[in-house]
Amino acid sequence: MDQDATCCPGLAAAPLDDERATELARVFKAMGDPVRLRLLSMIASREGGEVCVCEMTPAFDLSQPTISHHLKLLRQAGLIDCERRGTWVYYWAVPGALDTLAGFLTTKQTDLAARRTTGATRQTAGPTAQTAGATP
Amino acid sequence: MDQDATCCPGLAAAPLDDERATELARVFKAMGDPVRLRLLSMIASREGGEVCVCEMTPAFDLSQPTISHHLKLLRQAGLIDCERRGTWVYYWAVPGALDTLAGFLTTKQTDLAARRTTGATRQTAGPTAQTAGATP
DNA sequence: CGTCAACATAGAGAAATGTCGAAACAAGAG
DNA sequence: CTCTTGTTTCGACATTTCTCTATGTTGACG
């Protein structure tokens, strides 16, 4: 469900509205922690795409509940998903999530076109165009 | 300076080491706030690339010191930079920062090749390959 | 049914973060 | 020089986040 929020316009296309910024911030915040970033990388770099929790936990100097908590945040951000098989739980990267996010950050030509459409974004009074006068 | 940390291997190429994950987490954490994300988008979507603080502040229901604080965090993350011209201060997006970050998230074929080189990443004992036995 | 192992959840405390008002700093105007 | 405007810095406080220990849940195995 988070994928829909990160799909279309691009960050450099037009100023984000508050609602969309909030959704996106949740995803970036999930990646704003070294432990979660390592977990995500550990999962995304797997070919089969499946990593057992019992494999990730001993890679950190953290307790097992802490790792479980971080995995939960990554899952709530829509970056990974999991399934229980017998005793063990396996995590994998949600297929298009990272690429969608990457496309959102890329300042591609599509964004430039969209930017021109949006045009002037001056919402308040102030020195917008005639700023050169202040720097002789 | 943060660009060097986000340039080379790719998140899905191989598991991140602790040091690199810490550097990257600082950048993602800077984008993990709705206000900062809107500020960054507001700056990055400008053609000239320069946005005056006096133009950004009234777009939020926040005090001016708070906006200044968020801009400082974005600048420390290496995403934007600023310069004072007369009374006003102008911010712009650091040229390759967003695209570098996007490339780091993209799960491209280069990463697949690098992943094969790294090979087996099993660091502990556990059910790695023979997991099918647990699910009849 | 009882026991054990693997994960998840709940609650608590320490640390980090977001926000504000007050004050300091910078630069142009009178 | 003084005054005004724009911006940053400084403390202070409320909220969130990170981590732990303790407990609950699920499934395998006798």
Side-chain angles (χ1 to χ4, degrees):
Chain A
M1 50 185 71
D2 285 293
Q3 280 180 258
D4 300 327
T6 64
C7 62
C8 311
L11 185 131
L16 282 172
D17 58 293
D18 197 0
E19 185 180 6
R20 188 166 295 257
T22 302
E23 301 177 24
L24 276 168
R26 195 175 309 139
V27 182
F28 284 123
K29 189 179 294 182
M31 294 196 294
D33 183 275
V35 175
R36 287 195 292 270
L37 216 47
R38 285 180 60 192
L39 285 171
L40 179 61
S41 173
M42 198 175 297
I43 296 171
S45 62
R46 270 298 175 84
E47 188 168 4
E50 293 187 348
V51 185
C52 180
V53 175
C54 64
E55 217 172 338
M56 294 185 272
T57 301
F60 299 86
D61 284 338
L62 295 172
S63 67
Q64 175 264 324
T66 299
I67 299 296
S68 184
H69 168 68
H70 285 307
L71 288 171
K72 183 181 182 180
L73 291 184
L74 285 172
R75 187 159 50 88
Q76 288 177 340
L79 294 169
I80 62 176
D81 203 354
C82 66
E83 186 190 30
R84 182 181 201 118
R85 282 207 290 275
T87 306
W88 301 290
V89 176
Y90 294 88
Y91 280 82
W92 61 86
V94 169
L98 281 179
D99 291 302
T100 301
L101 214 57
F104 178 81
L105 293 181
T106 305
T107 60
K108 49 201 174 193
Q109 65 286 359
T110 308
D111 294 354
L112 299 178
R115 184 203 302 169
R116 300 216 82 103
T117 307
T118 310
T121 327
R122 52 197 59 165
Q123 39 253 355
T124 63
T128 49
Q130 62 282 22
T131 58
T135 57
Chain B
M1 48 183 74
D2 284 295
Q3 281 181 255
D4 299 328
T6 64
C7 63
C8 312
L11 184 131
L16 282 171
D17 57 293
D18 197 0
E19 187 180 5
R20 188 166 294 256
T22 302
E23 300 176 25
L24 276 168
R26 194 176 309 138
V27 182
F28 284 122
K29 188 180 296 182
M31 295 196 294
D33 183 275
V35 175
R36 288 196 292 268
L37 216 48
R38 285 180 61 192
L39 286 170
L40 179 61
S41 173
M42 197 175 296
I43 296 172
S45 62
R46 270 300 175 82
E47 188 168 2
E50 292 187 349
V51 185
C52 179
V53 175
C54 63
E55 216 172 339
M56 294 185 272
T57 301
F60 299 86
D61 284 337
L62 295 172
S63 67
Q64 194 178 32
T66 299
I67 300 295
S68 183
H69 168 68
H70 284 307
L71 288 171
K72 183 181 182 180
L73 291 185
L74 284 173
R75 188 159 48 88
Q76 288 176 339
L79 294 169
I80 62 176
D81 203 353
C82 67
E83 185 190 32
R84 182 177 204 117
R85 283 207 290 275
T87 306
W88 301 290
V89 176
Y90 294 88
Y91 280 81
W92 61 85
V94 169
L98 282 179
D99 291 302
T100 302
L101 214 57
F104 177 81
L105 294 181
T106 306
T107 60
K108 49 201 173 193
Q109 63 286 1
T110 308
D111 294 354
L112 300 179
R115 185 202 302 168
R116 301 217 79 103
T117 306
T118 311
T121 327
R122 51 199 59 167
Q123 39 254 357
T124 62
T128 50
Q130 62 282 21
T131 58
T135 57

